[in-house]
Structures are given as structure tokens and as C-alpha cells.
Amino acid sequence: MKTAEDKTIVREYFNSTGFDRWRRIYGDAEVNKVQLDIRTGHQQTVDHVIGWLEADNNLPSLSICDAGCGVGSLSIPLATAGAKVYASDIAAKMVSEAQDRAVMALSNTANPSFAVQDLESLGGNYHTVICLDVLIHYPQKKADEMISHLCSLAQSRIILSFAPKTFFLTILKKIGTFFPGPSKTTRAYLHSEADIIKILQKNGFSIERTAMTRTNFYFSRLLEATRTSV
Ligand code: SAM
């Protein structure tokens, strides 16, 4: 499948059935067991990132780009902790839900600032660029291009998560249970950690911290890389 098709399919998915499915998973309403497992796993990934950033004790001085922000699961707590957050997503429905959630959670509606934009067309410069659970929708070559672009926006640090290509996960994907459940899914691409690190290094970044979240149905490898050269 061509990358342009991947992107169109992903946008349409997250503006339709995917929106309904993921809004529930990333919420607190009742969901089925599989969705609950994914919700728990995803929350652990978000908590890892917040834990790292809080440990550095400088959140209020940071500008953060949350690329592919979804319904704001990370952007809203980061803004609550005082960071200036620029959140964007390719799907208007996800952004609209994120905006509603931000209004509920925060009295100040200017932060996070939200935009409907694909991450490939993002500009600007941010202390930290974060992209969680987005690369899974794209093949390696396209993921490389996306990571390179995100690196060009990051002054100091980039934090990425992806579904790691391991033997176990490859088998799971083959038997079609990686994204189980009744609501139909998009394609899920697994990525080799070595390939992701290679592209980060090529862009002048080196790995600082790593984490892995693994529940029954959710697998996400998290990498933090800091800039070593311009
Ligand atoms: N990062 C969020 C989180 O962890 O809560 C959302 C993760 S969700 C699985 C993937 C999100 O990536 C969706 O909201 C989707 O619309 C968005 N997305 C997919 N491709 C994108 C692209 N090329 N540019 C920006 N957002 C994209």
C-alpha cells in the first residue's frame, strides 16, 4: 500500500470508527476487557513520559510539541503541570474531543493550543517533541521520514513510542490479534528498535532513557533521545 493511502486511511479511520473506539479507550466509560487492557497499557506509557519529565523538575520552562495528540491524554496533564504545549493531530474529531477535554480539565483554554495538522507539515521549534503511538500506523520508510522531520523541530529532546518488532509480536500480528475487538482497525506496523535508533542517531540524537509497556494486548517501546549535535 502507498504511504499516501496509509495516511488517508488513518485520517478517515480516526475521524469515524476509530474516533469512537479510541475516545472510549482513552476515556473512563465502560469498555470491554480487551479495550480495558489497552487503556491500562496506554496509561502506563503516558505515566512513564510524565514521570520522566517531572523528574527533571523543569516542566514549567518547557515548550512541548505533542505530535498526533489524539484526545489529549498526554497534552492535558503536561499543560496542567505547567509546560507550554502545542498539540496537533491529523484527525479533526480527535482534536475537537481533546479541546473539549482540555476545557473540562483546565480553566485556561489557551494551553494546550490545538491544531488539526499532520505531523509532516508541522513547523516551529520546541524544547521537546513527543510522538506517542502514532508510528504504528506507518511503514518503516515513512516512519523514518516522520522521525527525521520531528527531530528537525526538536531543540533538545525527542520522545517516541512504537510497537517493537519482536518474534512474539510478529506472530501475534500474523494471527491478526494485535488490535483485537469488534471495531475494525487500521493496519498496524511493527518497527525494529535498531532502525528507530539508527534514524535518531542520523539526526544527531542519542538515547537517554527507555521504557517498555507490555500488557496482554498493548505493547509500546518508549525512547527518549537528546540532541548531541545540530
Ligand atoms: N498520541 C496520542 C496518545 O498516545 O494518546 C494518540 C495515539 S492514537 C493511537 C494515534 C493518533 O495519531 C490518532 O489520533 C491519529 O489521528 C494520529 N495520527 C496518525 N497519523 C498522523 C499524522 N501523520 N500526523 C498527525 N497525527 C497523526
Side-chain angles (χ1 to χ4, degrees):
M1 193 189 298
K2 291 216 181 68
T3 303
E5 285 175 41
D6 275 317
K7 198 157 123 176
T8 305
I9 288 167
V10 169
R11 183 192 288 110
E12 283 169 5
Y13 172 74
F14 281 103
N15 274 325
S16 55
T17 51
F19 170 67
D20 293 327
R21 175 176 164 79
W22 290 96
R23 176 186 48 169
R24 290 178 70 77
I25 291 175
Y26 295 155
D28 49 20
E30 206 174 308
V31 286
N32 67 37
K33 277 196 181 137
V34 171
Q35 291 172 332
L36 185 60
D37 178 88
I38 296 171
R39 177 189 286 171
T40 304
H42 174 260
Q43 189 58 47
Q44 285 174 20
T45 297
V46 168
D47 289 346
H48 269 305
V49 175
I50 294 172
W52 284 348
L53 270 54
E54 281 184 339
D56 292 345
N57 236 353
N58 61 352
L59 259 176
S61 68
L62 299 189
S63 60
I64 298 179
C65 166
D66 183 9
C69 65
V71 297
S73 310
L74 179 68
S75 289
I76 294 169
L78 289 181
T80 305
K84 180 73 197 108
V85 182
Y86 300 86
S88 52
D89 196 283
I90 198 172
K93 292 265 261 183
M94 298 295 270
V95 172
S96 164
E97 174 74 13
Q99 273 168 324
D100 289 349
R101 290 186 185 197
V103 169
M104 298 278 281
L106 297 153
S107 47
N108 166 15
T109 53
N111 185 34
S113 73
F114 289 102
V116 180
Q117 207 170 349
D118 58 72
L119 65 86
E120 298 87 328
S121 65
L122 288 177
N125 248 254
Y126 312 88
H127 175 279
T128 297
V129 173
I130 306 180
C131 184
L132 292 190
D133 294 0
V134 177
L135 298 173
I136 189 165
H137 301 298
Y138 298 95
Q140 186 67 45
K141 190 169 172 298
K142 170 71 176 164
D144 285 355
E145 290 165 14
M146 293 167 99
I147 293 169
S148 294
H149 181 62
L150 292 175
C151 284
S152 76
L153 309 175
Q155 288 157 2
S156 297
R157 170 169 60 188
I158 180 159
I159 297 175
L160 299 172
S161 74
F162 58 95
K165 193 185 247 172
T166 60
F167 178 71
F168 174 61
L169 276 178
T170 306
I171 296 293
L172 258 188
K173 186 171 179 254
K174 276 201 179 118
I175 57 174
T177 58
F178 185 77
F179 270 132
S183 336
K184 262 310 165 203
T185 76
T186 54
R187 286 168 66 101
Y189 294 94
L190 310 179
H191 296 104
S192 131
E193 182 166 347
D195 288 345
I196 302 267
I197 291 177
K198 212 184 297 165
I199 196 78
L200 287 168
Q201 287 171 339
K202 204 172 133 196
N203 282 283
F205 286 76
S206 64
I207 301 300
E208 208 62 48
R209 291 179 276 203
T210 66
M212 176 75 209
T213 307
R214 183 185 291 118
T215 61
N216 287 329
F217 296 103
Y218 176 94
F219 302 83
S220 192
R221 180 75 170 145
L222 188 63
L223 303 180
E224 176 197 53
T226 52
R227 188 178 277 289
T228 48
S229 63
V230 279

